[in-house]
Amino acid sequence: MPDTTQTGGQSTVLAGALLRVQPLEDASSSETVDGEPGEEAAGVLEASGLTTLPERQFAATSWLLGAADDREMARRQWEDQGIALLCCGGILSAVRIPARMVWATAKSDELGEVDAFLARWFDGGAVFMDLHAQQYYALVPGTAEWPLKERDFPGVSYLGRDNFLGVPEIRRTEPKGCGYWCLPMQSPGDLCYPDEVESLVLTGRAALAEGGGR
């Protein structure tokens, strides 16, 4: 389970072992991705049509920086550690789901198969995995309502306002190091629909109850 600490009335969700003081394994590229969120990201979309993977990653990174308390610090964290601490409850929130629940739904614990399953399950969206803590994080709109009660779904948590979340650098799309994007954000603000996340949790709980967990 990720550690949660209270500081000045706020909770900081350290995505398991995801947020570390040591650098993580090298991402596929070590060059810095700069850019500001908002109008600049929209300009990239309009000017380029997102014809290349680097352009899509640039635009998604620029948008994610809108959830940072300090954009420059978040950039440095991504460059140095591969993980940046972002605020929940603004432009994004997250639902934490135990891997065993996702695997039971996918009927597999082979990560490549699970990633392909998630791409089919969600109509777009963005999901990353904490490999050390074996938790999935589905990003949802910051104002999304989450109807499920934690007491009924052990290990599942909605991370909204007053939570901070360690989010992988956008180019970490392979299952190595501490965490990676198993369903990468394809465009700025491309988040999961809450009802699809809810359905995943409900299906996972039923599958575990039937002995589908691995």
Side-chain angles (χ1 to χ4, degrees):
M1 294 288 293
D3 297 326
T4 302
T5 58
Q6 295 287 338
T7 305
Q10 292 184 321
S11 299
T12 300
V13 177
L14 307 180
L18 217 57
L19 191 65
R20 293 174 162 251
V21 294
Q22 300 93 349
L24 303 178
E25 291 183 25
D26 234 359
S28 57
S29 171
S30 60
E31 74 176 31
T32 301
V33 174
D34 290 321
E36 296 294 337
E39 294 183 358
E40 182 173 338
V44 171
L45 283 166
E46 182 178 354
S48 69
L50 292 182
T51 56
T52 68
L53 177 60
E55 287 172 330
R56 293 196 299 273
Q57 292 173 334
F58 174 87
T61 296
S62 298
W63 187 86
L64 285 170
L65 284 170
D69 267 347
D70 185 321
R71 293 182 176 88
E72 292 304 319
M73 180 178 294
R75 286 195 186 97
R76 290 195 299 270
Q77 289 175 338
W78 272 326
E79 293 166 19
D80 298 339
Q81 304 178 38
I83 302 296
L85 201 62
L86 302 183
C87 307
C88 296
I91 62 173
L92 61 83
S93 291
V95 179
R96 180 178 61 211
I97 310 170
R100 67 182 184 278
M101 185 174 285
V102 176
W103 295 343
T105 309
K107 297 181 173 57
S108 174
D109 58 6
E110 198 285 312
L111 295 183
E113 292 180 5
V114 177
D115 294 351
F117 165 81
L118 292 173
R120 295 190 301 270
W121 183 276
F122 289 106
D123 182 14
V127 180
F128 68 86
M129 184 187 183
D130 177 341
L131 290 164
H132 285 190
Q134 295 198 333
Q135 303 278 357
Y136 285 84
Y137 291 82
L139 300 188
V140 297
T143 57
E145 295 186 1
W146 183 246
L148 304 183
K149 305 298 183 185
E150 290 189 22
R151 65 176 178 271
D152 298 325
F153 298 85
V156 177
S157 296
Y158 174 73
L159 307 174
R161 190 171 299 279
D162 296 332
N163 287 283
F164 290 83
L165 181 64
V167 176
E169 198 270 337
I170 203 70
R171 290 166 297 183
R172 291 177 178 260
T173 57
E174 298 294 329
K176 60 184 180 181
C178 291
Y180 77 108
W181 290 94
C182 41
L183 182 61
M185 181 178 289
Q186 294 298 313
S187 61
D190 184 17
L191 303 173
C192 298
Y193 290 106
D195 61 335
E196 293 181 343
V197 182
E198 179 185 354
S199 180
L200 179 69
V201 171
L202 291 170
T203 304
R205 183 176 71 169
L208 287 173
E210 294 171 1
R214 295 187 174 218

